[in-house]
Amino acid sequence: MQSTKENTRIGFYVCHCGHNIAAMVDCADVAKYVKGLPNVVLSRDYKYMCSDPGQELIQKDIREYNLNRVVVASCSPLLHEHTFRSATAAGGLNPYYFHMVNIREHDSWVHTDRGEATAKAKALAHAAIDRVAFHKALETKTVKINPDALVVGGGIAGIHAAMTLANAGKKVYLVEREPSIGGHMAKFDKTFPTLDCAACILTPKMSEVGAHPNITLWSYSEVAQVDGYVGNYKVRVKRKPRYISEERCIGCMDCISQCVFKEPKFEDEFNEGLGKRKPVYIPFPQATPQIVVIDPNVCLNFKRAKGPDGTPIVSDKCKKTCVEACGDKNAIDFTQKEEIKEIEVGTIIVATGFKTFDSKRIPGYGYGIYKNVYTALEIERLVNASGPTGGEVILREGKNPDGSPKHPKSIGIIHCVGSRDKKTNIWCSRVCCMYSMKLAHLLKEHTDAEVYNFYIDIRAPGKGYEEFYNKLLDEGVHFIRGRVGEVTDWAMTPEEEGKLVIRVEDTLAGYVRRIPVDMVVLSSGLEPQADAQDVRRLFNMSCGTEGFFLERHPKLAPVNTFTDGIFIAGACQGPRDIPDTVAQAGAAAAEALVLIDKGYVEQEPNTAFILDEECSGCKSCVPLCPYSAILYDETRKKAHINEALCKGCGTCVGACPSGSIVQNLFEDEQIFSEIQGVLAYD
Amino acid sequence: MEMTRTIKYEADRVKGFGEEVMSVPGCEELKDCIQCGTCSGVCPLSIYMDFTPRQVMEMTRFDFKNEVLGSKTIWLCASCYACTVECPRQIKITDIMYELKQRAIKEKVYPRGLPTPVLAQEFTKMVHDYGRVNEILLATKMYMKTNPFAAMGMAPLGLGMIKTGRFSMIQEKIRGRADLARMLETVDEGK
Amino acid sequence: MKYSYYPGCSLKGQGRAYEESLLPVMRHLGIELEELPDWNCCGATAYMAVDEGKACVAASRNLAIAEKAGLQQVLAPCSACYLVLNKTQHLIHDYPHIKSTVDRAMASVNLKYSTDIPVRHPLDVLISDVGMDAIKQKVTHPLKGLKVAPYYGCQIVRPYATFDDQFNPTSMDRILEALGATVVQFPLKTKCCGGSLTGTLPEAGLRLSYIILKEAIKRGADVIATVCPLCLFNLDSFHGKIAAKWESTRIPTVYFSQLMGLAFGMTAKQMGLQRGLVPMKPLASAPACCAARTAAAAS
């Protein structure tokens, strides 16, 4: 080990980082200590090493003092390792002769005793000085970027990201799980705070997606497998059978009108179960693509015949009037099977959205018990002109004396259902205050009812949002500050008879109140999709504790993930409204474009490689690699690591029984000398 | 007309009271209270309270010790635990009410004429002395101490109890009275 | 199956009909109950309001006695006892200062509290250990046509829901249905009856009992079934006062165990039904002799 140290000339720099480090670490003392260590030619402390003068200092010293190793003790390598490596390179050295010590996040920020923090900084510096002597010159490798992109999820986030990339001339695959793109936004009636109609602004974008020459739209499809690495992902997409040929269906919908079911009979998912559809259906009039779907669970043709494994099979038990109606177009194909498509893309944008909180989880609010308790999404459909009632707000239960449908005269909207609650979801769902107010406005407009909002805090921090709140106050919508205790159907006074009673503390007046209403609307919060964990694994991303996908940095890398080339946009990352979602989708597309237009990426050389002469061919490393980077060469009977796939996690290095795997920047002598160094200080 | 000052000066606070309550195991979550009022909303007795449970939480947090310990609210809590299970911050409100009751009794600052704290103390005494409680004797003692006239109103009920064979004036005692008393004494010794 | 039976003060006092009905019903179902020797009062809601440490010591003495007797499980039919014993275990478990207080008290009389003996409610035992099938098999006089409002009260599902749903418990509903009764939908099934406030602050306490009674009548119930001696006392004892203040709400309240006994062919007298202040109408399904007896007992 001593041999390499002979001609080592190390320059050491300790950064004050303003007060960030200097307030807790005696930087001059650290510099003084390091100066006395072997091989250290010079040792300085400086106010801001990352500043231009700081970087120039390194370059100048390399030349003047003939340095061949550089160590900087400052912040996290995540922040400035690249900066100092560049400075080292500019000084004429291989950038991997540089090593960084984190004495801010790992030291000054987390300790309260200046003496001990300074001692720790010295120990860490000592470790780096001992280690850097064994650093070797390494080459950065570049990898080409496939210019095609994949967008997962066809809500407003996915639509906007796909359009942005496609308009920039890139080929995009857009994969959507449902039969149509549009996501939650397609279900909304109007949007806050401008009250423009959601469909009017969304559906043109949807048709554009459908018609765009650069976009391949695969609806009713799911990503099944993702392999590869940044720039070169191989993706398998499962295309679910819709029993309709996408090529031949022209969207005339004759099959729907001619279905043996004369009346729609089955729960209509798009209308939140408030309406009915047939077994052959199109989710909503502006659905994109304009291609019908057959639901094998209710279609007679399938229902009456199931294979031994329970899957639907074709039978002769239905008259198949739909096939007759389709005629020469011949688009109905009952034999259609699930299909797997393989594509290659360079970048992926995950925009899989959210799900709404299941309001039944708060039994005290009566959803599923009292029929006139609704979710907000149900109300979106109920007030929608193209919704199941044509925009007429009628109650699920109760009729007027003359038998006509009943309209609510009083409505209570309960905010924060499932949100800000340690028993369910602790986070604020961010959009509910505003959508509750929007629904309050729409309901008042449609019914002229007395509308009460029950809120904990009104959160309206957006452009025009507070003004919207003010507008509602002017319109006479009531706001009561208090989280509702319970919704019941038992009456204490004559005016409560036959009504739903909301019991709440009006916390501003200081009274407990009972307020009878005809209709209760639950503003359910937003939560991660039920299969978010599966999707996370699929794309090798991380999730926060609440289950939303985790961005690489909350401020500085909000659409990046910890996997290069994979980005996130929209509510899959956390609750957000439409303006923020679209902005984020644009940002994700821009980040993807950065990679695509650059054409290549530089890869960290901290990869592992195999010492052929030592490898016994035991294969124990092969299944351990989380990135499938290790292959076994049958002819040579040796393992081989694909550098492009290796992420430098070190799993194989630790596991190799013959010690034949080495990792750049983490070689045994580097690590052992680092350990010796850290233990040398006492 | 008598006017009451409602503004609170810093001098009206008993600084440290809130911290003290919140440091009692089981009461720590009070720090997380967002004053949403769910506790009052589900409390069946909030309608008779001088302060709603939510207000008691806030007043405790802000050291209004005299107001809290002197309130009727804590003695109206029937321990039904509705607030505790519904609180979105999982504050054990019922247990905080118990904590406040204990302090009010210890400092003898509960509202005069309120029978609930009297009952609690008589109950405790009976357990201490005999190991068991006779509900009839207990009720009698409580009425005698607080409102002897109300006891008269209870006569028909007592008659009903006699008729249905549920009335007994015999105080049941456990054999291990001395043991129990000894055990309870160790609690005071440990304080 | 053998359990240590912890009756609590009420079941020996004004709530004795609960014991009178529960013991034979359990015996009929093959459950052996052995009364805990020299048990003491659990402390109910009152003791915790005065001194938490002492309350825990008093309650845990019972558990230590059960432990010493080598008994595996404690059956506590009274809601307050059930909650207090469970809560005491939780407190000993969660808070070291309570544990040391209890340990010190135990040591002073050579007792030991070392395990958390399961403290169980009869509904739990009936649903989980006996099973619905075994209950159904014993039904000889189904309670046909009897509309029952199931009233659980607060303390068996709150704050700890160990065997049933906290917000909508159904164990008693299922038992009553097995007996052949019609269970009315009763959203107040876990509301507070007023507890001891009916005595101390009647204006506040009685109002809660009144709401429960009124709503049970409105929903067409013939009788309210309960699991708690204090609930029964409150719902049964103050009809005069409630009528004077609000309106008449005369509907009988009985223990669920009394209804079980009737369905198993036991007599109203055996089940202590004569101890209710508001009599329950004789059942159509009861054998002639029994019906007569029910009427006699009730009058």
Side-chain angles (χ1 to χ4, degrees):
Chain A
M1 273 196 189
Q2 295 305 314
S3 61
T4 34
K5 285 191 176 178
E6 298 293 303
N7 42 13
T8 304
R9 297 178 62 79
I10 305 173
F12 176 79
Y13 304 86
V14 53
C15 176
H16 294 202
C17 196
H19 284 296
N20 278 305
I21 295 170
M24 194 48 65
V25 172
D26 184 343
C27 295
D29 192 35
V30 174
K32 202 175 127 211
Y33 167 76
V34 172
K35 190 149 184 91
L37 296 178
N39 299 323
V40 175
V41 176
L42 69 89
S43 179
R44 300 182 193 277
D45 63 301
Y46 191 75
K47 211 161 179 86
Y48 287 107
M49 281 309 297
C50 62
S51 65
D52 281 352
Q55 295 184 49
E56 277 156 23
L57 187 64
I58 294 174
Q59 295 168 34
K60 202 168 118 255
D61 285 347
I62 290 172
R63 287 188 214 101
E64 279 182 20
Y65 292 87
N66 202 20
L67 301 178
N68 57 17
R69 297 288 190 282
V70 175
V71 173
V72 176
S74 56
C75 54
S76 162
L78 211 61
L79 218 62
H80 279 306
E81 186 171 56
H82 186 72
T83 313
F84 297 128
R85 274 184 183 163
S86 303
T88 307
L93 284 182
N94 181 288
Y96 296 94
Y97 282 139
F98 162 79
H99 191 67
M100 190 161 180
V101 186
N102 184 352
I103 57 165
R104 195 179 72 174
E105 284 86 341
H106 287 183
D107 191 357
S108 68
W109 276 1
V110 290
H111 294 295
T112 48
D113 183 291
R114 195 155 196 264
E116 287 180 2
T118 304
K120 183 174 178 181
K122 288 179 187 171
L124 292 171
H126 195 143
I129 296 295
D130 280 11
R131 157 193 245 278
V132 79
F134 294 99
H135 275 210
K136 292 172 182 159
L138 296 171
E139 289 297 316
T140 315
K141 303 225 165 33
T142 60
V143 178
K144 271 196 167 174
I145 301 274
N146 180 330
D148 296 352
L150 166 68
V151 176
V152 187
I156 181 59
I159 288 173
H160 188 75
M163 284 297 294
T164 308
L165 289 169
N167 286 340
K170 312 301 169 196
K171 189 165 163 35
V172 183
Y173 297 92
L174 176 58
V175 174
E176 164 60 45
R177 158 151 71 185
E178 299 298 326
S180 168
I181 57 170
H184 279 99
M185 189 179 168
K187 296 185 178 186
F188 299 163
D189 181 48
K190 288 183 177 166
T191 55
F192 59 79
T194 47
L195 292 174
D196 37 5
C197 135
C200 313
I201 56 176
L202 178 67
T203 52
K205 276 188 92 120
M206 288 165 58
S207 341
E208 264 185 86
V209 165
H212 206 295
N214 286 343
I215 297 178
T216 305
L217 170 58
W218 285 338
S219 66
Y220 218 41
S221 304
E222 285 174 47
V223 174
Q225 199 182 332
V226 181
D227 292 310
Y229 51 95
V230 54
N232 299 274
Y233 286 108
K234 284 192 178 59
V235 182
R236 288 157 68 84
V237 180
K238 183 173 81 186
R239 307 220 56 206
K240 296 180 271 191
R242 62 204 296 160
Y243 305 105
I244 302 290
S245 158
E246 286 189 24
E247 289 73 34
R248 294 196 287 272
C249 175
I250 58 163
C252 69
M253 300 184 220
D254 285 350
C255 51
I256 301 178
S257 53
Q258 292 306 309
C259 174
V260 290
F261 282 95
K262 290 287 164 249
E263 291 302 323
K265 212 184 136 189
F266 306 101
E267 191 172 294
D268 174 1
E269 298 87 349
F270 184 77
N271 281 319
E272 295 292 305
L274 293 171
K276 301 274 184 230
R277 63 161 168 82
K278 292 185 180 183
V280 54
Y281 69 103
I282 192 150
F284 55 103
Q286 306 95 328
T288 305
Q290 279 279 306
I291 297 169
V292 296
V293 201
I294 290 174
D295 177 355
N297 294 315
V298 291
C299 171
L300 282 189
N301 196 39
F302 290 108
K303 201 181 176 187
R304 293 188 180 161
K306 291 226 161 117
D309 58 344
T311 54
I313 54 167
V314 190
S315 79
D316 290 323
K317 290 176 180 155
C318 174
K319 280 189 265 176
K320 298 190 183 57
T321 44
C322 53
V323 177
E324 231 169 81
C326 191
D328 292 344
K329 294 185 287 287
N330 213 8
I332 297 175
D333 176 7
F334 288 115
T335 64
Q336 210 171 54
K337 291 271 174 307
E338 183 180 290
E339 205 184 337
I340 299 287
K341 296 269 193 190
E342 286 198 25
I343 54 172
E344 293 187 359
V345 295
T347 48
I348 299 173
I349 294 174
V350 178
T352 47
F354 63 93
K355 98 176 171 31
T356 50
F357 172 80
D358 176 8
S359 299
K360 282 190 184 139
R361 285 174 61 196
I362 304 186
Y365 289 169
Y367 185 72
I369 302 168
Y370 306 123
K371 281 190 163 170
N372 289 337
V373 179
Y374 293 76
T375 66
L377 220 42
E378 287 174 336
I379 299 297
E380 294 278 2
R381 297 313 301 151
L382 209 55
V383 293
N384 194 299
S386 62
T389 56
E392 194 182 345
V393 180
I394 46 180
L395 290 167
R396 258 196 284 243
E397 190 175 54
K399 292 252 188 274
N400 286 323
D402 64 355
S404 61
K406 205 168 159 182
H407 303 109
K409 291 194 179 64
S410 50
I411 300 168
I413 302 179
I414 302 178
H415 293 215
C416 298
V417 176
S419 305
R420 303 185 69 188
D421 185 343
K422 283 187 184 172
K423 299 191 298 317
T424 54
N425 300 329
I426 185 64
W427 58 87
C428 162
S429 291
R430 227 179 122 183
V431 296
C432 321
C433 278
M434 288 308 298
Y435 84 56
S436 301
M437 287 198 263
K438 174 193 75 181
L439 292 176
H441 166 85
L442 294 173
L443 285 167
K444 190 146 188 81
E445 191 180 66
H446 281 62
T447 62
D448 204 28
E450 291 295 327
V451 181
Y452 300 86
N453 276 275
F454 300 93
Y455 68 97
I456 306 176
D457 297 296
I458 289 289
R459 296 192 167 165
K463 202 172 174 183
Y465 290 11
E466 184 66 21
E467 293 89 327
F468 190 74
Y469 179 21
N470 200 52
K471 171 184 156 80
L472 262 87
L473 290 166
D474 287 346
E475 283 173 2
V477 170
H478 310 294
F479 286 85
I480 295 177
R481 189 193 175 280
R483 187 174 172 277
V484 169
E486 58 181 352
V487 177
T488 59
D489 71 340
W490 45 275
M492 285 298 296
T493 58
E495 76 266 14
E496 291 178 357
E497 293 292 343
K499 304 248 184 186
L500 292 170
V501 179
I502 289 171
R503 196 175 195 273
V504 64
E505 181 185 10
D506 183 334
T507 61
L508 299 182
Y511 300 129
V512 173
R513 293 175 63 180
R514 286 174 61 94
I515 299 173
V517 293
D518 296 320
M519 174 188 249
V520 171
V521 181
L522 303 182
S523 298
S524 326
L526 272 51
E527 49 183 34
Q529 291 272 19
D531 58 352
Q533 288 296 336
D534 299 332
V535 175
R536 173 187 75 77
R537 274 187 286 272
L538 199 55
F539 293 98
N540 195 23
M541 300 185 292
S542 304
C543 281
T545 46
E546 72 297 307
F548 290 110
F549 300 143
L550 196 62
E551 63 286 343
R552 184 177 280 186
H553 190 282
K555 284 137 192 134
L556 301 177
V559 297
N560 303 68
T561 65
F562 288 95
T563 304
D564 293 330
I566 296 185
F567 306 96
I568 42 178
C572 66
Q573 186 246 353
R576 51 177 36 78
D577 59 15
I578 296 168
D580 285 4
T581 296
V582 171
Q584 206 189 13
E591 289 283 354
L593 283 171
V594 168
L595 287 178
I596 296 170
D597 284 354
K598 189 177 176 192
Y600 66 91
V601 278
E602 279 162 359
Q603 274 205 324
E604 275 286 291
N606 63 347
T607 48
F609 57 91
I610 289 174
L611 302 172
D612 258 4
E613 59 277 19
E614 310 270 342
C615 176
S616 65
C618 72
K619 300 188 203 174
S620 44
C621 55
V622 178
L624 289 175
C625 178
Y627 307 98
S628 314
I630 310 180
L631 290 175
Y632 184 69
D633 186 339
E634 285 291 349
T635 52
R636 291 167 50 249
K637 306 278 182 217
K638 305 276 179 197
H640 173 75
I641 297 174
N642 180 345
E643 268 189 307
L645 290 178
C646 175
K647 296 271 178 216
C649 71
T651 309
C652 58
V653 183
C656 177
S658 60
S660 62
I661 309 183
V662 178
Q663 188 180 352
N664 287 327
L665 289 175
F666 294 94
E667 294 187 30
D668 285 356
E669 54 187 2
Q670 294 169 346
I671 291 176
F672 287 134
S673 55
E674 189 172 12
I675 294 170
Q676 275 170 11
V678 84
L679 296 175
Y681 182 84
D682 52 25
Chain B
M1 193 168 71
E2 200 191 324
M3 302 285 279
T4 320
R5 164 170 79 84
T6 54
I7 190 175
K8 290 290 175 192
Y9 298 110
E10 282 303 274
D12 293 324
R13 292 169 64 186
V14 181
K15 294 248 174 77
F17 174 71
E19 274 299 324
E20 208 179 295
V21 172
M22 288 188 282
S23 68
V24 173
C27 304
E28 306 95 331
E29 303 286 331
L30 175 56
K31 289 178 184 153
D32 290 1
C33 178
I34 54 170
Q35 288 289 300
C36 66
T38 306
C39 44
S40 322
V42 295
C43 176
L45 289 144
S46 55
I47 53 169
Y48 287 103
M49 291 173 173
D50 42 1
F51 301 105
T52 65
R54 172 191 60 83
Q55 287 170 323
V56 167
M57 296 299 116
E58 187 71 351
M59 288 156 65
T60 303
R61 211 159 49 167
F62 274 112
D63 305 326
F64 292 110
K65 177 182 173 179
N66 300 327
E67 293 80 349
V68 166
L69 296 191
S71 76
K72 285 189 231 137
T73 296
I74 56 179
W75 298 106
L76 271 153
C77 171
S79 307
C80 81
Y81 292 89
C83 50
T84 299
V85 302
E86 296 283 358
C87 173
R89 293 294 150 131
Q90 296 185 319
I91 302 167
K92 294 182 181 128
I93 298 161
T94 314
D95 290 352
I96 293 174
M97 292 291 183
Y98 274 130
E99 179 64 30
L100 297 173
K101 288 179 204 177
Q102 290 179 56
R103 283 165 187 265
I105 285 187
K106 212 160 111 199
E107 303 194 12
K108 303 207 180 311
V109 291
Y110 50 82
R112 300 295 140 205
L114 207 57
T116 330
V118 176
L119 176 75
Q121 291 173 91
E122 287 302 323
F123 189 108
T124 307
K125 198 169 171 311
M126 208 175 243
V127 175
H128 189 278
D129 293 349
Y130 307 111
R132 288 190 192 167
V133 166
N134 179 316
E135 296 143 306
I136 308 281
L137 291 175
L138 179 67
T140 316
K141 277 191 175 170
M142 182 198 73
Y143 284 121
M144 286 311 161
K145 281 210 165 179
T146 54
N147 187 356
F149 293 107
M152 305 302 288
M154 301 306 275
L157 178 57
L159 220 60
M161 291 287 117
I162 293 170
K163 252 170 78 181
T164 54
R166 290 149 73 189
F167 190 93
S168 162
M169 292 293 269
I170 300 159
Q171 175 69 56
E172 275 203 51
K173 298 172 186 137
I174 61 166
R175 288 193 306 279
R177 285 195 300 283
D179 275 3
L180 180 61
R182 174 78 201 103
M183 290 171 80
L184 294 171
E185 275 155 25
T186 65
V187 180
D188 288 329
E189 289 160 10
K191 271 176 190 161
Chain C
M1 283 184 280
K2 192 169 166 183
Y3 301 80
S4 166
Y5 169 55
Y6 177 81
C9 307
S10 274
L11 271 71
K12 296 291 182 188
Q14 66 82 14
R16 61 189 59 174
Y18 196 179
E19 179 177 271
E20 285 165 355
S21 56
L22 186 68
L23 295 184
V25 162
M26 289 303 223
R27 203 175 309 123
H28 196 62
L29 289 164
I31 298 279
E32 218 183 304
L33 298 178
E34 185 186 308
E35 188 166 320
L36 188 70
D38 207 37
W39 55 270
N40 59 271
C41 169
C42 71
T45 52
Y47 216 138
M48 290 256 177
V50 178
D51 190 318
E52 186 183 64
K54 286 186 182 174
C56 287
V57 165
S60 59
R61 177 178 173 270
N62 297 304
L63 299 167
I65 291 175
E67 190 179 325
K68 196 174 175 185
L71 296 157
Q72 304 299 314
Q73 309 205 31
V74 173
L75 186 82
C78 163
S79 296
C81 300
Y82 173 76
L83 172 65
V84 168
L85 294 180
N86 265 303
K87 183 170 176 175
T88 300
Q89 290 187 333
H90 274 267
L91 293 177
I92 293 173
H93 227 234
D94 296 347
Y95 304 124
H97 76 281
I98 298 280
K99 184 168 178 359
S100 60
T101 301
V102 168
D103 285 346
R104 205 168 40 241
M106 293 290 163
S108 73
V109 293
N110 285 325
L111 275 173
K112 224 175 97 206
Y113 179 94
S114 59
T115 51
D116 289 339
I117 296 179
V119 176
R120 306 191 49 201
H121 192 270
L123 284 180
D124 178 18
V125 168
L126 287 168
I127 289 281
S128 319
D129 300 3
V130 176
M132 294 311 292
D133 288 340
I135 295 173
K136 273 182 204 154
Q137 273 173 19
K138 298 283 184 192
V139 175
T140 52
H141 297 71
L143 308 178
K144 261 211 184 80
L146 186 70
K147 285 193 248 134
V148 189
Y151 177 63
Y152 297 75
C154 43
Q155 298 194 330
I156 68 162
V157 284
R158 286 198 301 263
Y160 315 112
T162 47
F163 65 93
D164 207 338
D165 188 87
Q166 193 154 49
F167 300 97
N168 183 24
T170 54
S171 48
M172 183 170 32
D173 297 40
R174 282 180 278 156
I175 291 172
L176 293 171
E177 272 161 14
L179 304 180
T182 307
V183 176
V184 304
Q185 205 247 334
F186 195 52
L188 289 89
K189 55 166 74 161
T190 65
K191 292 282 179 244
C192 176
C193 67
S196 58
L197 292 175
T198 50
T200 52
L201 298 164
E203 160 123 9
L206 286 183
R207 182 175 167 277
L208 302 185
S209 292
Y210 157 64
I211 293 170
I212 290 159
L213 293 166
K214 175 181 85 121
E215 205 56 29
I217 293 171
K218 198 170 160 191
R219 287 175 193 261
D222 301 321
V223 60
I224 297 172
T226 180
V227 301
C228 171
L230 185 55
C231 294
L232 185 129
F233 178 78
N234 282 340
L235 297 180
D236 183 48
S237 306
F238 298 104
H239 285 282
K241 286 191 172 189
I242 287 171
K245 190 155 178 55
W246 294 285
E247 61 185 306
S248 174
T249 53
R250 276 184 81 81
I251 174 173
T253 306
V254 299
Y255 296 108
F256 76 100
S257 48
Q258 293 178 307
L259 294 179
M260 287 184 82
L262 291 184
F264 293 168
M266 299 171 189
T267 66
K269 183 104 196 255
Q270 283 170 327
M271 290 297 100
L273 275 164
Q274 74 282 7
R275 299 200 189 278
L277 294 175
V278 178
M280 187 178 134
K281 281 202 191 94
L283 292 170
S285 66
C289 59
C290 291
R293 242 179 272 159
T294 316
S299 60

